[in-house]
Amino acid sequence: MTEADDGSGDGTLRLLLVDDQPLLRMGFRLVLESEDGIEVVGEAGDGAEAVRLTAELAPDVVLMDVRMPVMDGIEATRQIAAAHSDARVIILTTFDLDEYAFAGLQAGASAFLLKDVAPSELVSAVRLVASGDAVVSPRVTQRLLETFVRGQAPSPPAGPAPAPDPLLKDLTPRELEVLRAICEGLSNAEIAHRFFLSEATVKSHVRRILTKLHLRDRVQAVVYGYETGLIVPSNPDY
């Protein structure tokens, strides 16, 4: 699924619900299936079942709990991403600075949501992640990344700094500027305003960046920016 896609060919967004609590799955199903253009195609109670059903049902979005029996949501997300599935994974967590949410983003998830999210925000998040056009709660995602990257970063070693990822050399100066803006959590509209570009041009830059860096979506670009040192945690108050 490309960044501009918004679901299946007939316009219906296909969703897989993954949580070991049946009542929670039921609540999400009731909210999502009340919306036009969204179909819950399956449910799973553990990560292993989620991996199997993702391959079998080809959902556009997987709502993935973290703590589950048999296989947790992080490993399930990692396997789904490794299988080059087009499904985008949203990690479900109980609080916004959960280390598991960060691990989920590293594993290949496209976003994370709090389990007590308002119904309207849930629907909006699912649609946004399916389209690939925005990051769910970009400022919160940035705060999550800065917190855990800062916490995991070792002291700078003596000697010269490590060489940057050679893939960055494939980016044009403008693409590098856009990548840094993505890592700040800016939307396409905000990036267009900053650099005096059309949104269509920004979308083209984003697609080329993701292709050149072999990344799945914008959130993976943010994770990449922090992990490679392109973006350095800057706000000590986070």
Side-chain angles (χ1 to χ4, degrees), residues 2-46:
T2 66
E3 191 186 9
D5 290 337
D6 58 0
S8 62
D10 64 359
T12 300
L13 197 162
R14 296 165 55 82
L15 198 77
L16 176 66
L17 300 177
V18 185
D19 196 289
D20 62 344
Q21 299 180 46
L23 285 177
L24 191 62
R25 295 201 307 268
M26 180 185 299
F28 281 139
R29 177 185 281 272
L30 289 173
V31 169
L32 292 162
E33 289 200 328
S34 68
E35 297 291 322
D36 292 337
I38 295 180
E39 176 187 5
V40 177
V41 296
E43 298 184 16
D46 62 69

Side-chain angles (χ1 to χ4, degrees), residues 95-97 105 112 114 135-147 238:
F95 49 96
D96 62 2
L97 289 182
L105 294 179
F112 71 96
L114 299 182
V135 176
V136 177
S137 301
R139 304 305 191 275
V140 178
T141 301
Q142 181 186 16
R143 183 160 63 98
L144 177 89
L145 287 166
E146 291 216 354
T147 297
Y238 274 152

Side-chain angles (χ1 to χ4, degrees), residues 110 150 180:
S110 295
R150 180 181 294 106
R180 287 194 172 98

Side-chain angles (χ1 to χ4, degrees), residues 158-218:
D165 186 341
L167 288 178
L168 287 173
K169 295 180 181 179
D170 293 335
L171 301 186
T172 67
R174 175 63 82 192
E175 288 167 354
L176 201 55
E177 288 178 332
V178 171
L179 175 57
R180 287 194 172 98
I182 292 172
C183 291
E184 291 179 37
L186 300 188
S187 67
N188 284 349
E190 290 169 328
I191 295 172
H193 179 74
R194 172 179 291 186
F195 298 122
F196 305 101
L197 302 170
S198 70
E199 286 194 50
T201 298
V202 173
K203 287 184 178 181
S204 295
H205 283 313
V206 172
R207 280 194 292 269
R208 286 196 293 268
I209 290 166
L210 298 181
T211 298
K212 288 180 179 182
L213 298 180
H214 310 298
L215 301 171
R216 287 166 59 85
D217 55 31
R218 297 169 72 98

Side-chain angles (χ1 to χ4, degrees), residues 80-122:
I80 289 170
H84 304 291
S85 168
D86 285 337
R88 298 181 187 274
V89 177
I90 300 177
I91 293 290
L92 295 170
T93 183
T94 52
F95 49 96
D96 62 2
L97 289 182
D98 190 340
E99 63 181 293
Y100 292 102
F102 177 68
L105 294 179
Q106 287 185 307
S110 295
F112 71 96
L113 280 178
L114 299 182
K115 283 192 174 184
D116 61 357
V117 63
S120 61
E121 292 179 11
L122 171 65

